[in-house]
Amino acid sequence: MNIPSCIILEIASIYASSIIYALASKLTEARRKLLSTLWIIATYIVALIFFYQAFSQYASSASKVVYFGAGIFTAVAVDSLSLFINFIILTAAFLMLIHVVQRIDLEKKESGDFVALAMSLIATSILVTVSNNFLIFLIMWEAATASVIGVLSYKTSEESGEALIKMIFMAVVSSIFMLVAVVLVYMAVASLARPSIEILNFDTVVNLISKVKGTGLALVLLSFALILAGLGIEIGLPPFYMWLPDVYTGSKPYAVPLMVLTLETAGAYAVARIIGVYSLLPVSLGVLTLPMIILIVFSILSILVGEASALAQRRLRRILGYSAVADAGYVVLLSLFFVASKTPPVGATASYALPLAYFIAVSNISLATAVALIGLVEEKGVYTLDEAKGLVKKAPLITMLTAISIMSVFGVPPLAGFVAKFFVISSVASTANTILVYVAVIAALLFVVSAAYGLRIIQYFCVYESPGTSFGKTDLKLVAPLILLVALLVLAGMYPNLFACFFT
C-alpha cells in the first residue's frame, strides 16, 4: 500500500469503529466498560498500524510531500508536520478516551453515542492535518468543530450550557471570517493561474502570493487578517477568547481534554500552516512586514492576557483555561519564524516546524492531562485553590501526576514544557531581527508569570495543611492512561529528539 492508502485506511478504520460501536447492543455495565476499553484499544492499534506503514514509507521516500493523487486530489497531502500532528492526535486522544470510558456510565444510551462521537472527532481532526487546500481545510475544520460541540454537549448543566452557547456563537463568527478569507484568497490569485480549486492548495498559494500586486495584494492582506482572526477565535486569541476559559470551567472535565487533544491541537497546527502560507507576502514596513506586526501584537497580547488572568484566578480549571489562552499566543509567536525567515512549513520546508510542532504537542498534552486529573478531585469537592490545600496527603498519586502536568505547562526542567518554552525563545531570537529579539525577551519575562501561578498551585497542593481524610485508594484503571501521558511529558523533556524522527 502507498502512503495515501495507509492514511485513508487509518482514518476509515476509526470512522468504521465509531459506527460499529454506536450500533452495538447493550451489555452489562461491568462487561461494557471492559469491552469498550478493549474495543478502543483495538481501534487504536489498527489505526496505528496503518499510520506506522505510512510513516515508514514516508521516512524512506525522497519526496517531502506526498499528494493523494493528481489534479484535484493534490488538495490532500501529507508531509512531516502533518504526520507528526496526526500521531499526536491519534495517540494522546485515544489514551484520553480510554480514561473517559472509565468515568462515564456506559449503561446510558447517550454514553455509547458520546464514545462513538469522540472516536469520530479523532478521525475528523486527523483529516484536518491532511488538508492541503484552503477550501478542503475549511470543510474539514467545520466538521471537527461540529463533532467537538457534540462531545461537549454531553450531560450539559446550566454552567456548561452557557459556555457551549458562547462557543457555538464564536464558532459561527469564526466560520464566517474564514469563509470570506478563502474567497478573498481565490479572488487575489485567480488572475495569476487557471481558475480551479487547485489554486487554493497551500503550496500553490505560497508561490502565487509572492506575485500579487495592487488590488490583489490588498485582498490577500485582508484575507490574512480574517483567517488569523477566525483561527484565533478557535484557539483562544484575544479579543475573542472568553469562551475558552468558560468551556474549560463549565464543561465536563472528561470532555474538555478531548477537545484540547483534537480540535485545539489541529487548530494550533492550522495556525502554523496557514500563517506560513502568507510568509512570502511582498509587503514591508522597514525591518518588519505587516503580517509580522499583526502577529507580534496578537501573540504578546494573548500571552499577557492569558498569563495575567491565570494569576488572578482561584478556580483550578479556570487557571488552566487562561493558560491555554497564553499558549495560543506562544503558537502565534512561534509562527513568526516562518514569516520572518520567509520559510513556509509546507512540503520540503515542513521540517522547520519542529519547534512549533513540539510546543503544540507538549502544551496540549500537559493541559489536557491536568484538566482530566483535576476532574478526578472535583468529584471529591475540590474545585478551587483553597479547597486543594493539603491535597497531596488526601490523593498522593493524583496530586503528583497533576503537579507534573502543571509544571510542564509553565516549563520546569527536565519536563517537556521546559524544552517547549526554550523553543519559543530560541526560534524567535534566531531570526536575527533586532525587534524580534526584543519580542523574545518579553516572552521570556512573561514565563515568570506562568511560573508564579504554577508554583502557587503546587504550594496549595503540597505545602499548605488542611483538615480532612484521605480520598481513598485511587482506581488505577482511571489514571493508567493519564500516567502514560505524564510519562510522555517526562520522556520528551529528557529526550527531545524523541519527536525529531518525524522531521528528518
Side-chain angles (χ1 to χ4, degrees), residues 152-171:
L152 293 176
S153 63
Y154 177 69
K155 287 188 175 181
T156 54
S157 60
E158 182 178 351
E159 184 181 19
S160 60
E162 292 177 359
L164 195 59
I165 290 173
K166 290 181 182 179
M167 179 181 179
I168 293 172
F169 175 77
M170 297 311 300

Side-chain angles (χ1 to χ4, degrees), residues 251-267:
S251 297
K252 296 298 180 181
Y254 45 79
V256 173
L258 290 173
M259 177 192 75
V260 174
L261 294 173
T262 53
L263 189 73
E264 292 299 298
T265 302

Side-chain angles (χ1 to χ4, degrees), residues 21 41-42 82 496:
Y21 184 93
I41 293 173
S82 62

Side-chain angles (χ1 to χ4, degrees), residues 32-47:
R32 183 103 183 226
K33 282 191 180 294
L34 175 60
L35 290 179
S36 294
T37 302
L38 293 175
W39 183 267
I40 292 168
I41 293 173
T43 302
Y44 169 70
I45 291 173
V46 171

Side-chain angles (χ1 to χ4, degrees), residues 160-211:
S160 60
E162 292 177 359
L164 195 59
I165 290 173
K166 290 181 182 179
M167 179 181 179
I168 293 172
F169 175 77
M170 297 311 300
V172 171
V173 174
S174 171
S175 299
I176 294 171
F177 282 176
M178 288 195 283
L179 179 60
V180 174
V182 171
V183 172
L184 291 175
V185 169
Y186 185 85
M187 291 171 60
V189 302
S191 62
L192 302 175
R194 182 176 63 85
S196 64
I197 188 176
E198 293 98 302
I199 67 171
L200 286 176
N201 289 357
F202 293 150
D203 41 6
T204 302
V205 173
V206 167
N207 296 320
L208 293 179
I209 276 180
S210 63
K211 302 174 184 177

Side-chain angles (χ1 to χ4, degrees), residues 487-498:
L488 181 61
L489 294 175
V490 176
L491 187 62
M494 298 177 65
Y495 303 100
N497 288 335
L498 181 69

Side-chain angles (χ1 to χ4, degrees), residues 300 303 330 333 424-425 438-448:
I300 295 300
I303 296 170
Y330 290 125
L333 188 62
V424 173
I425 303 301
Y438 290 138
V439 172
V441 171
I442 294 172
L445 292 175
L446 289 174
F447 289 163
V448 178

